Amino acid sequence: RKWLIIALISYVEGVTIESLKQRISMKNISELQLGKAGEYLVCADLILNGYIAFPSEQGLSYDVVADVDGRLIRIQVKTTACYRATPQRKGYLPTYLFHSRRCGKGGMRAYDNTDLDIMAFVCLQDKVIGYFPIKEVKMTMIFRVKKYCEMYKAKNTQGKYLEDFSIQKALTLLA
């Protein structure tokens, strides 16, 4: 509820995302709140892209259900609060890091390709979402932070940007 209220306030009052970041520290958000915020952000993104989407019940292997042309698509959402410094040979690079195939308490179980259809990766700090068919998801997924693309070019490194993986692209790969 907290994130829904914040989103409504920012829309009605025209408050910028930067000022919201200053008001609420990501460090004070519990893991449950972090996950719920990611799920609601995915639902909003799907709805804004023309799909019917809603959160699922607790205890399922997926968090969101989307109706795509009469077919129900099961989506698991993985959320991170912000990017982190990933060690490289010389220094560090900012990346989004997700332990994607783990599920259950303490990550004791791994998702199977039949448990869900799509996995959505969310970074709350930057409000970025990337979608992948489950068959394309590895145990750990690492993505570059688009706003630092010049840093990656300077270090001559390549990688995937989360923003480049839209729901439409994931649905095409799923078919």
Side-chain angles (χ1 to χ4, degrees), residues 85-102:
T86 302
Q88 304 292 308
R89 281 185 217 137
K90 293 183 179 181
Y92 294 84
L93 288 175
T95 61
Y96 304 123
L97 174 69
F98 298 92
H99 299 290
S100 43
R101 287 284 186 152
R102 295 182 192 165

Side-chain angles (χ1 to χ4, degrees), residues 130-159:
Y131 299 90
F132 284 82
I134 187 63
K135 64 184 177 191
E136 304 287 328
V137 176
K138 302 191 180 5
M139 285 300 274
T140 301
M141 301 286 283
I142 299 174
F143 300 96
R144 304 296 171 122
V145 181
K146 197 106 179 191
K147 65 184 172 185
Y148 293 111
C149 65
E150 293 304 316
M151 178 188 299
Y152 302 126
K153 288 177 186 172
K155 293 187 181 247
N156 197 26
T157 61
Q158 297 178 0

Side-chain angles (χ1 to χ4, degrees), residues 30-72:
S30 73
E31 282 190 34
L32 180 63
Q33 289 174 317
L34 184 76
K36 285 293 179 193
E39 291 169 21
Y40 291 131
L41 196 59
V42 167
C43 281
D45 183 58
L46 291 168
I47 291 166
L48 292 171
N49 276 288
Y51 302 104
I52 296 170
F54 49 90
S56 69
E57 290 295 321
Q58 292 292 328
L60 298 172
S61 60
Y62 47 93
D63 300 314
V64 173
V65 177
D67 182 334
V68 178
D69 299 325
R71 179 178 173 205
L72 295 181

